[in-house]
Amino acid sequence: MKLVRFGPAGAEKPGLVDADGALRDASALVPDIDGAFLSRLDGLALDDIGALPIVEGQPRLGPCVTGVGKFIGIGLNYADHAAESGLPVPSEPIVFLKANSCLSGPNDAIRLPAGAAKTDWEVELGVVIGQVAHNVRPADALRHVAGYCIVNDVSERSWQLEGTGQWTKGKSADSFGPIGPWLVTADEIADPQALGMWLEVNGVRKQTGSTATMIFSVAEVVSYLSRLFTLHPGDLITTGTPPGVGMGMTPPQYLRPGDRVQLGIDGLGAQGCAVITRDTARPVTAPA
């Protein structure tokens, strides 16, 4: 099942995408696509999708899940990406947080904040928790997953790695977390470690990879995090990126106003985001 949220920012409605690709309004069935809904997903009767009204036109798509309590990132989870970053392969998952205020729709603009100079792209597999997970074994971890989505882990490298250098600081600006277009329920993804992924900037392929080359699998990541803190329904984990980020190129390449970023993952759809300056009155320049 493909779960979606559509409509103006802050006033999205829940929806479903049927087998023919039509968007249907599910607001008569559920209040929203959030942790409370996802925690009881297995018990819901959603068989009669064909009776739901079709949404005409092409409405804006919002973040595919709302009420996200924790937006957790896993860094350097692909060995070849660690190599292009000039960093050693981690012996255990590198964990950081993205502010959940950075969440945006899959086709919303990426807004470069004032002072940003090295804004980068990262196509990643997103994992949304559906059941409380505390100290779970890897063998049981996927039972706690509601579904999967695309995440662009947009990163301002100068804030992440220079000065005091803090990953959360470099990855949390408004609009730095496009997710969706939809949340695909776990029953439709036979193996989360067998998904091809890609990203293009202005039509030029930058990233081509597969979740098969993750250092730590989805099950291992969920299990590891559940030993650090309890995971709750609606929590979102973004699991790392394959090689091809701008920072790793020679010379490095970063996003500029007017660029367009497109990305996709097998079975999870695709995103397309324009890059704009957040405040046109203040040009984007390197910090003094």
Side-chain angles (χ1 to χ4, degrees):
M1 184 164 35
K2 295 181 176 67
L3 305 172
V4 66
R5 301 175 66 250
F6 65 95
E12 293 93 345
K13 293 182 178 181
L16 302 171
V17 178
D18 67 20
D20 297 321
L23 172 60
R24 294 181 179 270
D25 187 340
S27 56
L29 292 178
V30 296
D32 213 336
I33 310 299
D34 57 9
F37 166 70
L38 296 173
S39 68
R40 53 191 176 90
L41 188 60
D42 291 342
L44 291 175
L46 298 176
D47 296 331
D48 196 14
I49 293 176
L52 299 175
I54 291 179
V55 179
E56 302 294 343
Q58 294 183 319
R60 169 191 172 271
L61 299 182
C64 55
V65 62
T66 190
V68 174
K70 295 187 286 294
F71 190 177
I72 308 157
I74 303 297
L76 302 177
N77 198 23
Y78 290 72
D80 34 14
H81 172 54
E84 73 173 349
S85 302
L87 297 168
V89 173
S91 58
E92 60 183 274
I94 294 174
V95 181
F96 62 92
L97 295 177
K98 288 174 74 81
N100 54 18
S101 55
C102 79
L103 289 167
S104 59
N107 304 314
D108 291 346
I110 296 170
R111 305 191 306 276
L112 302 179
K118 299 178 180 180
T119 304
D120 209 344
W121 56 82
E122 296 189 13
V123 58
E124 304 198 3
L125 174 66
V127 180
V128 179
I129 298 299
Q131 300 295 327
V132 171
H134 176 72
N135 201 27
V136 301
R137 301 179 305 163
D140 299 324
L142 295 186
R143 300 176 187 173
H144 298 263
V145 173
Y148 303 92
C149 65
I150 300 169
V151 176
N152 187 356
D153 180 20
V154 184
S155 307
E156 173 50 40
R157 302 300 189 191
S158 65
W159 297 350
Q160 177 189 357
L161 301 172
E162 299 171 12
T164 57
Q166 297 176 23
W167 286 36
T168 294
K169 183 175 69 178
K171 292 173 173 281
S172 293
D174 294 352
S175 81
F176 274 24
I179 64 170
W182 39 68
L183 174 63
V184 179
T185 52
D187 61 294
E188 293 198 8
I189 303 299
D191 183 0
Q193 305 308 145
L195 303 177
M197 51 208 308
W198 58 271
L199 182 144
E200 297 178 350
V201 179
N202 300 327
V204 177
R205 182 63 62 94
K206 301 296 185 181
Q207 291 184 275
T208 302
S210 169
T211 58
T213 64
M214 281 184 183
I215 299 168
F216 306 103
S217 69
V218 170
E220 290 169 328
V221 166
V222 171
S223 174
Y224 179 84
L225 293 176
S226 78
R227 299 198 302 271
L228 303 178
F229 40 72
T230 300
L231 297 170
H232 295 93
D235 285 350
L236 171 61
I237 306 165
T238 189
T239 55
T241 197
V245 300
M247 178 179 64
M249 297 182 176
T250 306
Q253 300 176 18
Y254 297 113
L255 296 173
R256 294 291 180 260
D259 287 344
R260 183 166 181 80
V261 184
Q262 295 176 289
L263 56 152
I265 297 179
D266 292 349
L268 302 182
Q271 298 183 3
C273 297
V275 180
I276 64 173
T277 301
R278 178 178 180 180
D279 186 348
T280 56
R282 297 177 60 190
V284 177
T285 58

